[in-house]
Amino acid sequence: MRSRRSVLAVPGSNPRFLEKAQTLPVDEVFLDLEDSVAPLAKEEARANIVRALREGDWSGKTRVVRVNDLTTQWTYRDVIEIVEGAGEQLDCLMLPKVQDPTEVIWLDTLLTQIEKTMGYEVGRIGIEAQIENARGLVNVDAIAGSSKRLETLVFGPADFMASINMRTLVVGEQPPGYAEGDAYHYILMRLLMAARSHDLQVIDGPYLQIKDVEGFRRVATRAAALGFDGKWVLHPAQVDACNEVFSPSQEDYDHAELILEAYEYYTTVEKRGAVMLGDEMIDEASRKMALVVAAKGRAAGLRRTKRFTP
């Protein structure tokens, strides 16, 4: 699994932003051809993105391009020009406003045709599916299982809020009048269950109040607590908070590695299945939970500061 703690959105129509994005400490950058690019600028944005992918230094970052959705006249040219022009420098395509599994299947088929034509490795380029309306959420299980290329489900909150007539203009915040609980809990959990049942990652969408870093941190913490793998960032000010929220603490990471090391020792050397690690009983379920935290810590570049001693 690729690390996707922080996912930076970059308009393909802005060469300065494309250059700046290469210097930011984010896990993924998606170069956008959709909402952030005006209709008359889309053709130029494709050329900008191909040039940026081919000539830029994206070391350590997952490289993604968001194409336009399948209700538009731009999608097929987006896919063909980007993949033929820079497919070897591309990790995934993001398909927005996915409502039905056939849309992902269409993209998978077209990618396969281009890969065969260009001599690329077939199946290497992944797909991210963005869920942005009620129909997409209702069909999310089928969407999650629609393609072996699919790596990630992505929540698109602004379009989703509009699609269900949610009475607010502040993306990601609780709607006025919703005094108890979390208005987004069902949506986030629904996406999470579909993703995990198909071994996919799941990413929370943007927080548009880009100067309110504490508000961003609060909303990101909610998604991280549920089990989301990361969140979009729209501004450099959000990056550090995002990486921190979606990484385990050093203490939790060390503890997870200790559980894995201790459990391996006790089950193989002493041949016991349920044992004590200090004052804590650990077993197979503990191992599974520790694997999750340890994997996130390793992806975040954490290093162990404690070792297990029998």
Side-chain angles (χ1 to χ4, degrees):
M1 286 290 188
R2 311 177 197 271
S3 181
R4 286 182 165 98
R5 296 170 303 167
S6 48
V7 178
L8 177 66
V10 186
S13 54
N14 191 316
R16 183 171 65 87
F17 286 3
L18 291 170
E19 185 174 352
K20 175 68 174 177
Q22 299 170 44
T23 69
L24 297 176
V26 293
D27 290 342
E28 175 178 308
V29 174
F30 80 84
L31 313 181
D32 193 25
L33 287 169
E34 200 215 9
D35 286 349
S36 68
V37 178
L40 294 179
K42 292 189 187 289
E43 186 172 344
E44 181 182 3
R46 291 181 193 136
N48 290 341
I49 288 173
V50 168
R51 184 164 50 251
L53 286 171
R54 293 181 66 89
E55 299 176 3
D57 181 4
W58 304 95
S59 301
K61 296 175 176 59
T62 297
R63 303 154 299 179
V64 179
V65 173
R66 181 168 73 164
V67 299
N68 286 276
D69 77 87
L70 276 173
T71 66
T72 72
Q73 69 269 37
W74 300 297
T75 317
Y76 81 103
R77 293 303 315 167
D78 289 344
V79 176
I80 292 169
E81 291 187 24
I82 295 299
V83 180
E84 287 190 352
E88 293 177 313
Q89 289 79 37
L90 181 68
D91 295 308
C92 295
L93 286 180
M94 184 188 304
L95 187 63
K97 297 178 177 62
V98 176
Q99 303 183 76
D100 186 274
T102 59
E103 298 173 27
V104 178
I105 294 169
W106 173 88
L107 180 55
D108 187 328
T109 302
L110 183 53
L111 281 171
T112 298
Q113 292 175 333
I114 298 171
E115 287 167 339
K116 289 180 178 179
T117 299
M118 298 297 295
Y120 299 155
E121 177 187 347
V122 175
R124 186 191 64 79
I125 298 173
I127 296 174
E128 299 187 357
Q130 195 172 7
I131 307 301
E132 300 188 71
N133 59 31
R135 184 180 173 194
L137 189 66
V138 169
N139 291 330
V140 71
D141 287 316
I143 291 168
S146 60
S147 169
K148 291 182 179 180
R149 292 182 187 265
L150 196 61
E151 297 186 11
T152 310
L153 297 179
V154 182
F155 179 41
D159 282 284
F160 195 96
M161 292 156 65
S163 83
I164 62 172
N165 294 341
M166 186 177 279
R167 297 193 334 184
T168 180
L169 294 174
V170 183
V171 175
E173 290 288 0
Q174 301 302 311
Y178 202 93
E180 298 181 2
D182 179 0
Y184 303 95
H185 183 76
Y186 168 76
I187 301 166
L188 296 177
M189 287 300 292
R190 188 74 186 83
L191 291 169
L192 184 64
M193 294 302 103
R196 295 298 186 248
S197 66
H198 293 277
D199 296 323
L200 306 179
Q201 291 183 311
V202 59
I203 305 299
D204 194 15
Y207 185 79
L208 270 59
Q209 310 300 310
I210 60 174
K211 294 184 178 181
D212 183 2
V213 178
E214 287 309 307
F216 173 89
R217 183 185 296 273
R218 172 172 40 79
V219 173
T221 300
R222 172 191 66 185
L226 292 177
F228 272 57
D229 297 288
K231 184 174 178 64
W232 280 11
V233 292
L234 302 179
H235 189 273
Q238 297 176 332
V239 173
D240 288 344
C242 195
N243 285 336
E244 178 186 335
V245 166
F246 287 96
S247 300
S249 67
Q250 184 67 52
E251 181 180 0
D252 286 346
Y253 172 65
D254 280 334
H255 188 56
E257 293 285 16
L258 283 175
I259 290 173
L260 294 176
E261 195 172 8
Y263 189 72
E264 174 70 14
Y265 170 81
Y266 285 121
T267 55
T268 58
V269 177
E270 298 193 4
K271 296 181 173 58
R272 290 189 287 156
V275 297
M276 298 298 293
L277 177 62
D279 296 329
E280 176 186 11
M281 190 190 81
I282 61 173
D283 57 12
E284 175 62 16
S286 306
R287 185 190 70 84
K288 292 176 182 176
M289 294 170 65
L291 276 173
V292 173
V293 176
K296 289 182 180 294
R298 293 167 191 168
L302 296 181
R303 296 292 181 265
R304 294 183 63 175
T305 63
K306 298 178 181 179
R307 294 287 174 177
F308 169 70
T309 302

